[in-house]
């Protein structure tokens, strides 16, 4: 995005009092509104920041006091819902999990500018909001639910601790799309299933109670499936839940080569 930045900072008497110990941080936010002629551009805002703040607090300050037209998704604010994925200084993060104490310079005389953009590879609808439907289409395509035959059991389906541990890591996915939209293959070819879809397929392929593994493996044995992965580890680095995404993709590849 090469459009010039617009500084929207201004002296206003109606802003809340700056708390003691706060420092001013510049938020440089990518903007886009399909309903006006400005096109893609940057807006800059001066926001008072405490070390105890999260980036989401700064975003909410901008929306509440400086520019109510700023649009972004957020919900739980505790890193569980996955709504507030965005590119922070060029890296996919959840805004609610970015702690300002980790970003503020140790030298108080230095200034800090944080750039915030929408995640890549998905169509931008407005500001930081992207169309998630292509992402969820890939997720639904791998059939991310338990597939069993026969009658419903009268009690829970028993599973050993070892069998449960086999796929424990991939149960942590919150569908934030940080991994998928950090993938260069996904950026260049949106028809690739993407890491998140493969992670959620992995969760059921290796579930001892499930009977749909052959069907899911057949789905992922496609030219847009697991073989498009180039093992760059961007997805693993981007995952806010610490899932070993690249490892899960390689395990699905091995399952295709050597059977489950």
């Amino acid at each position: 995005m090469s459009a010039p930045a617009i500084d929207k900072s201004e002296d206003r008497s109606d802003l809340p009092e700056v708390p003691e110990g706060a420092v001013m941080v510049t938020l440089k936010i990518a903007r886009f509104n399909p309903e006006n002629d400005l096109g893609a551009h940057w807006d800059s805002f001066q926001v008072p920041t405490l070390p105890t703040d999260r980036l989401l607090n700064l975003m909410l300050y901008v929306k509440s006091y400086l520019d109510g037209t700023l649009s972004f998704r957020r919900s739980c604010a505790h890193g569980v819902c996955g709504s507030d994925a965005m590119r922070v200084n060029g890296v996919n993060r959840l805004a609610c999990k970015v702690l300002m104490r980790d970003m503020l310079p140790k030298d108080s005389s230095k200034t800090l500018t944080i750039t915030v953009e929408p995640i890549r590879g998905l169509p931008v609808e407005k500001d930081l909001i992207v169309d998630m439907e292509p992402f969820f289409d890939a997720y639904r395509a791998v059939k991310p639910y338990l597939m069993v035959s026969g009658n419903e059991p009268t009690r829970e389906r028993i599973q050993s601790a070892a069998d449960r541990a086999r796929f424990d890591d991939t149960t942590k996915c919150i569908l934030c799309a940080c991994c998928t939209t950090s993938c260069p293959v996904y950026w260049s070819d949106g028809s690739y299933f993407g890491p998140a879809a493969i992670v959620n397929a992995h969760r059921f392929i290796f579930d001892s109670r499930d009977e749909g593994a052959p069907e899911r493996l057949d789905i992922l044995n496609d030219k847009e499936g697991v073989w498009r992965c180039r093992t760059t580890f961007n997805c693993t680095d981007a995952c806010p839940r610490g899932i070993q995404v690249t490892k899960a993709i390689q395990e699905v590849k091995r399952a295709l080569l050597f059977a489950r």
Side-chain angles (χ1 to χ4, degrees):
M1 185 178 298
S2 57
I6 300 173
D7 190 346
K8 302 194 75 171
S9 303
E10 53 185 276
D11 294 326
R12 288 173 42 183
S13 59
D14 60 336
L15 295 178
E17 184 178 349
V18 175
E20 183 179 353
V23 297
M24 299 305 291
V25 168
T26 301
L27 277 190
K28 185 179 177 183
I29 303 176
R31 306 297 301 274
F32 171 71
N33 186 345
E35 296 180 358
N36 65 36
D37 299 325
L38 291 176
H41 64 280
W42 296 91
D43 281 346
S44 293
F45 303 91
Q46 292 292 314
V47 182
T49 306
L50 291 168
T52 53
D53 284 332
R54 297 160 296 168
L55 178 60
L56 181 59
N57 296 120
L58 278 62
M59 301 292 293
L60 291 170
Y61 183 96
V62 172
K63 185 168 180 65
S64 299
Y65 301 113
L66 303 180
D67 187 346
T69 68
L70 177 63
S71 298
F72 57 93
R73 291 189 174 107
R74 78 280 189 195
S75 186
C76 77
H78 287 86
V80 177
C81 71
S83 299
D84 58 347
M86 51 191 72
R87 282 171 62 84
V88 181
N89 290 344
V91 179
N92 284 9
R93 307 287 296 276
L94 295 183
C96 62
K97 294 198 73 175
V98 177
L99 303 179
M100 296 313 300
R101 69 185 181 203
D102 296 332
M103 301 194 74
L104 290 171
K106 301 267 191 294
D107 184 348
S108 59
S109 66
K110 294 183 178 179
T111 59
L112 174 65
T113 298
I114 301 173
T115 62
V116 183
E117 309 166 69
I119 49 180
R120 295 181 63 179
L122 294 168
V124 178
E125 294 188 333
K126 186 174 187 288
D127 294 339
L128 304 176
I129 296 177
V130 298
D131 180 6
M132 295 288 287
E133 276 310 300
F135 172 80
F136 284 113
D137 285 344
Y139 169 70
R140 288 186 285 263
V142 300
K143 302 188 176 182
Y145 44 81
L146 196 68
M147 298 170 65
V148 294
S149 59
N151 297 325
E152 287 289 322
T154 56
R155 52 174 295 178
E156 71 272 16
R157 293 181 170 89
I158 303 298
Q159 186 173 54
S160 71
D163 283 344
R164 176 61 174 76
R166 179 65 185 85
F167 61 93
D168 182 72
D169 194 38
T170 48
T171 65
K172 302 172 186 175
C173 179
I174 56 174
L175 297 173
C176 63
C178 280
C179 64
T180 294
T181 57
S182 71
C183 175
V185 176
Y186 192 80
W187 298 339
S188 61
D189 183 0
S191 57
Y192 171 44
F193 275 90
I198 300 170
V199 159
N200 281 276
H202 177 287
R203 180 258 175 270
F204 289 98
I205 288 169
F206 294 98
D207 189 333
S208 60
R209 302 164 298 179
D210 185 80
E211 299 173 11
E215 185 175 350
R216 291 191 195 88
L217 289 171
D218 187 57
I219 292 169
L220 292 175
N221 193 25
D222 182 85
K223 66 177 183 177
E224 305 299 348
V226 291
W227 308 113
R228 293 299 307 277
C229 173
R230 294 296 179 264
T231 326
T232 62
F233 285 87
N234 281 19
C235 50
T236 300
D237 293 340
C239 180
R241 303 285 287 176
I243 300 171
Q244 297 298 307
V245 181
T246 309
K247 177 183 176 183
I249 295 172
Q250 301 315 303
E251 288 181 349
V252 173
K253 287 181 179 179
R254 284 198 296 270
L256 277 165
L257 290 172
F258 306 114
R260 188 170 81 170

